[in-house]
Amino acid sequence: RAAAACAVAFALASGSGVPSVELPGGVMMPMLAFGSYPGSFKQGCTVAESVRQWLALGGRHIDTANNYGTQPDVGEAMKAAGVPRSEIFLTTKIPGPIGKQQTIDMIMNVSLPQLGVDYLDLVLIHKPCIEKDLFPNKCGAAEHAERVDTWEGVLELKRLGKIRAAGVSNFDADQLATLVAASGVTPAVNQVEWHLGYHN
């Protein structure tokens, strides 16, 4: 019953008709992704079963994050689904500014092993502020050095071939501009939450 409920919830959203957008470097990203935030799952749906169904129904973009705690579930679902890795667009996120080396270590030693893959399609810095009570971006210009250092870690992962595209999440226009000015590299994506129930 729970499996059927999950399938019904995703059936209309999946399929080959999802448009893609080209990111820098020619990386094609499907514009509709399946999010694996655990608080989104109702009616007995599990992350692993829901992601497996998303893939079975034709969905190909999966969004997860280190602090969701669902990377192992996503990895399990990808393995069970049997869809070639090259057909899946996999996005994950590191927490807010954590520094270059910790960024590299987290992707290499946590995200990649948990997901069971040897590369990621897109890695995002989840938020620009260190403190949770400043979410999503209320720290303003503060913590700029930490953001730049973390961004350098993401860019190093791209140079190493471990990620195909680098981006951010929840950054405001000024935080983006100063990041670009410091690094000379524009994030491929700035993912933000915005819908009828939440105007970010």
Side-chain angles (χ1 to χ4, degrees), residues 91-106:
T91 298
T92 196
K93 309 174 198 74
I94 58 166
I98 58 174
K100 179 177 180 177
Q101 192 57 51
Q102 191 172 343
T103 295
I104 294 169
D105 291 344
M106 184 172 287

Side-chain angles (χ1 to χ4, degrees), residues 46-49 51 68-78 114-115:
T46 67
V47 173
E49 177 60 17
V51 172
Y68 289 173
T70 57
Q71 290 180 150
D73 303 288
V74 170
E76 174 190 331
M78 289 171 57
Q114 286 184 347
L115 290 161

Side-chain angles (χ1 to χ4, degrees), residues 120-192:
L120 294 158
D121 296 286
L122 176 63
V123 168
L124 308 175
I125 302 174
H126 209 159
K127 55 190 176 67
C129 308
I130 296 171
E131 298 299 326
K132 288 183 179 179
D133 59 350
L134 296 177
F135 182 86
N137 52 30
K138 296 181 179 68
C139 56
E143 301 167 7
H144 169 68
E146 291 88 346
R147 281 193 289 277
V148 171
D149 193 41
T150 302
W151 181 235
E152 287 296 335
V154 178
L155 295 179
E156 179 62 19
L157 286 162
K158 189 169 185 294
R159 285 190 284 268
L160 292 170
K162 292 300 178 180
I163 69 174
R164 299 175 66 217
V168 297
S169 182
N170 298 301
F171 279 51
D172 66 25
D174 290 337
Q175 290 163 340
L176 272 174
T178 55
L179 192 69
V180 174
S183 67
V185 180
T186 302
V189 170
N190 182 20
Q191 184 190 89
V192 297

Side-chain angles (χ1 to χ4, degrees), residues 50 109 112 118 152 186:
S50 300
N109 302 327
L112 291 173
D118 56 9
E152 287 296 335
T186 302

Side-chain angles (χ1 to χ4, degrees), residues 51-67:
V51 172
R52 189 195 63 75
Q53 289 181 34
W54 170 251
L55 293 170
L57 291 164
R60 289 297 181 263
H61 186 173
I62 305 167
D63 179 281
T64 187
N66 189 275
N67 59 357

